[in-house]
Amino acid sequence: MQRLFVMFPDRAPGIGLLMLRLTLCAALWTLPGPAPAGSLAASIACAGLLLVGMWTPLAVLLSLTLLGLHPVTHAAWLPLPVAMLLLGPGAYSWDARRFGRRVLLKQPGPDAGPSPPKE
């Protein structure tokens, strides 16, 4: 997951990505007109995953497929999942908690170099 996204931005960019995820959820929940068979359950599951930011690349690809195959989808909704796929979930998501930034501490070992003289 971490290899898919360079970083998980926080503060204002993270809030913007959260708003983008929420807008995509709203687009999936409010699909107008008759839906193809099984797409209602898939869109609710996809919106739930996007709401918490879990498995974002899979959920975004599914939402892009659902919006693309729905007969009444307006073309203005299609850039939302594409932008979400390119930008990632942001810092305020389950993916960021699971695969986000790490702090690595290097422990001194035998190959750490010469030790200081003892007095």
Side-chain angles (χ1 to χ4, degrees):
M1 177 69 66
Q2 190 172 358
R3 292 182 183 182
L4 294 175
F5 307 113
V6 176
M7 62 181 177
F8 295 95
D10 56 356
R11 297 186 187 97
I15 292 172
L17 289 171
L18 176 65
M19 292 169 62
L20 183 65
R21 279 196 342 252
L22 294 177
T23 305
L24 187 54
C25 288
L28 289 170
W29 277 331
T30 60
L31 284 175
S39 70
L40 179 63
S43 66
I44 290 173
C46 182
L49 288 174
L50 286 171
L51 186 66
V52 295
M54 180 183 277
W55 300 327
T56 306
L58 178 67
V60 168
L61 287 175
L62 180 62
S63 70
L64 183 62
T65 304
L66 289 170
L67 287 174
L69 293 178
H70 198 276
V72 193
T73 301
H74 194 273
W77 288 112
L78 293 178
L80 282 175
V82 173
M84 191 80 236
L85 187 65
L86 293 174
L87 294 173
Y92 307 112
S93 66
W94 184 86
D95 286 340
R97 297 283 179 211
R98 179 74 175 103
F99 304 107
R101 300 175 184 150
R102 304 264 190 251
V103 176
L104 300 176
L105 300 175
K106 184 176 178 182
Q107 299 293 328
D111 60 341
S115 61
K118 296 181 182 177
E119 293 182 29

